[in-house]
Amino acid sequence: MIDKMMVDADLCIKLGGSNKYRYLYDVLPLIAKQIYMHTHAYTEVMMPSSAVNQLRDLVSEEKVKLVNESDLNSRERVIFDAAYKNLERVMMDPRRPNKNKGETCSLAYAKAKSIPIFATDERNLQPIIDAQLNTGMNDIICIRIVDIIEKAHNGELSISRKLCKALWLVAGKRKDVFDKDIWPVTR
């Protein structure tokens, strides 16, 4: 199990996509002991309603802690501002100021608070983090749905294959890829 993790809106939207099963609510606390979400990323989870409701429940039960830069002391705020500025240059478009703002705020907060894991399903984010934030000290690693499943498969997380497959499918990913490449059934 991971100690501390910052979670992004896209992961919540994908894992919370089922009206019948509460995968976001059930699985997120199995991944990390302390889960944080920046308030800006939280406001980005507007649909589906199943994801909104599950995330709201996680927050109200204090399984996910909402955070923002007003929580930071002066030293942490300097780190946040510098990290935000570095990310803003490469991730944000002035013509679309809210595009990637949740990720930018979340990553800057994670850097300021030394939260080493960023749970997202953004495919090309790690190279940006490596170039803009990671210096060898308090580095941030992205963990995607496939990584969560691999950790479960390797015994690092207590999540069954059946539940992992359900997560994979509810996230809109292909069943055959899961069965063939991600976690093949061994006899």
Side-chain angles (χ1 to χ4, degrees):
M1 182 177 266
I2 296 166
D3 285 330
K4 297 191 304 184
M5 173 175 82
M6 177 71 69
V7 68
D8 191 22
D10 73 322
L11 188 92
C12 294
I13 291 166
K14 287 181 179 181
L15 294 184
S18 172
N19 284 318
K20 187 174 180 182
Y21 301 104
R22 293 173 51 89
Y23 296 129
L24 175 64
Y25 179 85
D26 292 336
V27 173
L28 214 51
L30 298 175
I31 299 169
K33 294 175 190 166
Q34 296 175 320
I35 304 166
Y36 303 91
M37 186 171 205
H38 194 280
T39 52
H40 192 86
Y42 180 75
T43 63
E44 291 178 349
V45 182
M46 296 184 281
M47 56 183 204
S49 61
S50 55
V52 174
N53 293 334
Q54 290 176 61
L55 185 57
R56 188 180 312 126
D57 290 346
L58 286 165
V59 170
S60 70
E61 294 172 21
E62 299 179 1
K63 294 177 180 178
V64 171
K65 181 179 180 187
L66 294 180
V67 296
N68 64 52
E69 46 280 17
S70 68
D71 306 333
L72 302 173
N73 65 35
S74 58
R75 184 187 69 75
E76 293 166 337
R77 184 59 195 245
V78 168
I79 296 167
F80 175 91
D81 290 342
Y84 186 91
K85 191 172 188 162
N86 281 348
L87 292 169
E88 181 182 39
R89 279 194 337 245
V90 296
M91 290 181 66
M92 294 177 67
D93 182 346
R95 294 167 296 186
R96 297 173 65 198
N98 283 325
K99 177 90 171 106
N100 296 329
K101 186 163 181 148
E103 290 95 341
T104 304
C105 292
S106 297
L107 287 165
Y109 189 92
K111 187 66 175 177
K113 283 294 205 178
S114 301
I115 300 170
I117 303 296
F118 184 58
T120 182
D121 214 39
E122 294 290 333
R123 174 177 290 205
N124 300 314
L125 194 52
Q126 189 66 55
I128 294 169
I129 294 168
D130 290 342
Q132 300 302 319
L133 296 182
N134 288 347
T135 61
M137 205 166 98
N138 299 324
D139 286 350
I140 299 169
I141 304 298
C142 287
I143 183 172
R144 298 175 47 225
I145 292 169
V146 68
D147 302 316
I148 292 166
I149 292 169
E150 285 175 1
K151 285 182 177 299
H153 187 228
N154 295 335
E156 297 172 51
L157 297 173
S158 296
I159 307 172
S160 69
R161 181 186 187 281
K162 182 179 178 180
L163 184 53
C164 285
K165 187 173 183 177
L167 295 176
W168 186 258
L169 297 175
V170 80
K173 300 179 186 291
R174 292 180 26 210
K175 179 181 182 276
D176 62 313
V177 171
F178 183 90
D179 288 334
K180 187 175 148 219
D181 301 327
I182 305 298
W183 195 334
V185 176
T186 54
R187 296 176 199 253

